[in-house]
Amino acid sequence: MADTYASKQARQSPDPDTSGRNKRALIGEALAELVAAAGGGGPRLRIGLMAAGGEVPVEDYLQGAALAMRHDPRIQAVGLGPRPDALLPPGMDWIETPACEADMAAAMEKALESTGHGALHGAVALHYPFPVGVATLGRIQTPARGRPMILASSTGISAPHRACAMLRNALYGIAAAKALGVENPSLGVLNLDAAPQVLRALARLRERGYPVRFGESVRSDGGALLRGNDLLAGAADVCVCDTLTGNVLMKVFAAFNSGGVYETAGWGYGPSAGEGWDKVVSIISRASGAPVIANALACTAQAVRGNLPGRVAEELRAARAAGLDGELAALEPQAASAQDAPPAMPPVEPTDEEIHGIDVLDLENAVHALWKVGIYAEAAMGCTGPVIKLAAAARARAGEVLRAAGYV
């Protein structure tokens, strides 16, 4: 059960003197927050932090929270997980849960959806299975010139097919850059499969009025098609890539100084974005250390203040007015025949189990294979790759179906 400051107060003795002291303490906290808001230029944001299940000590989470709150007094870090024995940094709150990822995620989601005392405005998670259509926009510090660059995307997946996902990633990356304070971000596309098609689609959108500003490669031939040199130099504010490539790049840039076992640099795997997605959930790795944790909390708060979900909606509206839907349709693979239409979806059930190890290109077909036998399932993208979400009771039978079909 989530254990917040308010629930602890509710369990206190009804003794009138104690009750009076508690009320005075709450009033004092409220006045302190008003003073902090007035002095700091805005209201205090409560940003959740999953603080269990990682490969670093809990002290790294506490230190990261302390650094973030010291740098920006308008942030209140709120830990999620088993309450540590160590003393919390001044001002940090805690929502106590078991160490299970599902329990921490459930408490996080409840607090994000709440509007009362104890609500979260955003959150930083070690693992979160985003629905297909939602991706995170990672942010790296480029070593050659020290300037930040957004990698769009680094976890999640904005569309089942690479080309469509990369086109959407371009819009979401621009939205994230604007939410983080870059007024007119430049954009380039990493030289991967489908990159030329995506660049041509973006160029056509620009011709029809979508105001995208292309970056320029540092290589002699220039252009907005980016190479490895451009990642090192930070040739554009936003680098468009597919999720799995972005995830690998994030890890390399974050941990190259430590030999890969501890992430020391960057802002983590970034805040989430997607069409109709109204939450700001950011991702860090299990190997992210205190500096990255602090930066991720600060980046999440900045994305909340910059209204990232609203920015995404604005970019989609502007791109649709310039023909986005037609460009996405042209990038979609054509169905082989009518018999390949997806089967009817079974009745929706709570999904409290995950199946890992599905290739991203097979994810949609694997879900449909389960639908055909009456098993409700959802495609999602977790921090370690594609996952299928389903009811725990169907886990064994689903495994048999997927093995028989060659998906696992």
Side-chain angles (χ1 to χ4, degrees):
M1 177 183 293
D3 193 2
T4 64
Y5 177 80
S7 63
K8 288 181 179 178
Q9 292 297 318
R11 294 199 300 270
Q12 295 293 327
S13 165
D15 176 79
D17 290 339
T18 304
S19 177
R21 286 195 297 271
N22 290 338
K23 288 179 180 177
R24 286 194 295 273
L26 288 172
I27 292 171
E29 285 186 4
L31 289 173
E33 288 198 7
L34 287 173
V35 171
R44 200 175 193 194
L45 296 179
R46 288 169 54 86
I47 307 298
L49 172 63
M50 284 191 186
E55 297 171 6
V56 299
V58 69
E59 286 77 15
D60 273 80
Y61 298 103
L62 301 183
Q63 184 183 354
L67 288 170
M69 293 188 294
R70 190 181 310 141
H71 179 73
D72 185 351
R74 296 175 298 167
I75 295 174
Q76 181 181 30
V78 182
L80 291 138
R83 191 180 182 93
D85 295 330
L87 188 66
L88 298 185
M92 187 177 189
D93 199 4
W94 202 274
I95 298 175
E96 193 165 355
T97 77
C100 171
E101 286 180 348
D103 290 326
M104 287 189 288
M108 179 188 78
E109 290 170 347
K110 181 178 179 181
L112 285 169
E113 292 166 2
S114 173
T115 56
H117 183 78
L120 296 177
H121 300 95
V124 175
L126 279 76
H127 170 76
Y128 190 79
F130 293 106
V132 171
V134 178
T136 67
L137 299 317
R139 198 181 189 200
I140 60 173
Q141 182 173 335
T142 58
R145 297 177 185 172
R147 67 188 301 253
M149 172 187 272
I150 288 174
L151 292 182
S153 58
S154 59
T155 61
I157 187 168
S158 56
H161 303 292
R162 175 185 284 180
C164 295
M166 290 174 67
L167 182 53
R168 286 183 174 272
N169 289 347
L171 307 182
Y172 301 161
I174 291 170
K178 290 180 177 179
L180 296 177
V182 183
E183 187 64 30
N184 185 23
S186 59
L187 178 139
V189 180
L190 191 61
N191 191 15
L192 305 170
D193 290 346
Q197 297 97 304
V198 172
L199 263 179
R200 287 194 292 268
L202 286 166
R204 288 191 291 268
L205 291 178
R206 185 172 67 171
E207 290 170 1
R208 295 192 290 262
Y210 178 64
V212 59
R213 181 168 76 93
F214 289 121
E216 190 78 11
S217 171
V218 298
R219 300 293 296 272
S220 59
D221 52 351
L225 197 65
L226 304 184
R227 283 84 156 193
N229 314 65
D230 300 307
L231 292 175
L232 297 172
D237 297 307
V238 178
C239 173
V240 178
C241 55
D242 65 84
T243 288
L244 296 179
T245 302
N247 190 269
V248 170
L249 290 172
M250 286 297 309
K251 295 181 187 303
V252 171
F253 277 88
F256 70 92
N257 277 329
S258 70
V261 296
Y262 185 90
E263 294 182 0
T264 64
W267 291 261
Y269 298 72
S272 52
E275 188 164 3
W277 181 255
D278 61 355
K279 300 179 180 66
V280 180
V281 177
S282 298
I283 294 296
I284 54 175
S285 154
R286 289 175 172 84
S288 295
V292 174
I293 293 167
N295 286 346
L297 287 165
C299 183
T300 304
Q302 194 174 3
V304 171
R305 291 192 190 103
N307 188 20
L308 176 56
R311 297 276 190 174
V312 169
E314 289 172 8
E315 294 303 319
L316 286 169
R317 278 195 297 270
R320 283 213 161 90
L324 172 64
D325 290 335
E327 296 294 343
L328 288 170
L331 292 172
E332 282 275 2
Q334 299 301 308
S337 65
Q339 69 181 12
D340 293 326
M345 183 178 73
V348 175
E349 297 181 12
T351 55
D352 54 356
E353 182 64 91
E354 297 177 4
I355 296 178
H356 296 251
I358 311 292
D359 188 280
V360 67
L361 299 178
D362 292 328
L363 188 59
E364 191 174 11
N365 290 335
V367 169
H368 292 166
L370 296 178
W371 286 5
K372 287 179 181 178
V373 297
I375 297 175
Y376 176 74
E378 300 173 4
M381 182 67 79
C383 299
T384 57
V387 299
I388 290 179
K389 299 172 64 179
L390 73 170
R395 175 66 174 81
R397 186 175 175 226
E400 295 174 359
V401 172
L402 295 176
R403 280 192 293 274
Y407 293 122
V408 294

